[in-house]
Amino acid sequence: VTVIAPHGVDADPLATSVCILGPERGLALIEKLNETAALFVLVEEKGLTTRASSRFDQFVIPANRKD
């Protein structure tokens, strides 16, 4: 799990907590926190899948972006 928060000292314990809670409950917690986002990478039968909080996309930089 990756957690993005305003301060690293907040992101680290949140990552541990949401990892223990699992994707459903962990993402529900993240959604309640302002300026915080998370991404889970899950190993499933069909391979790797991802689940992200609603704010995670704002932190993603497209691979083909040209500044």
Side-chain angles (χ1 to χ4, degrees):
V1 66
T2 297
V3 172
I4 299 170
H7 306 285
V9 296
D10 298 326
D12 184 47
L14 275 172
T16 301
S17 299
V18 298
C19 189
I20 291 168
L21 290 171
E24 290 79 23
R25 291 174 30 201
L27 288 172
L29 171 62
I30 293 296
E31 294 295 346
K32 294 178 184 178
L33 303 172
N34 293 328
E35 300 179 10
T36 305
L39 174 72
F40 277 84
V41 178
L42 306 164
V43 178
E44 297 182 344
E45 254 183 58
K46 57 186 174 187
L48 296 178
T49 61
T50 59
R51 300 232 358 235
S53 64
S54 63
R55 289 180 291 277
F56 193 81
D57 282 347
Q58 71 187 9
F59 298 101
V60 176
I61 300 171
N64 60 353
R65 180 176 142 185
K66 295 178 183 173
D67 289 342

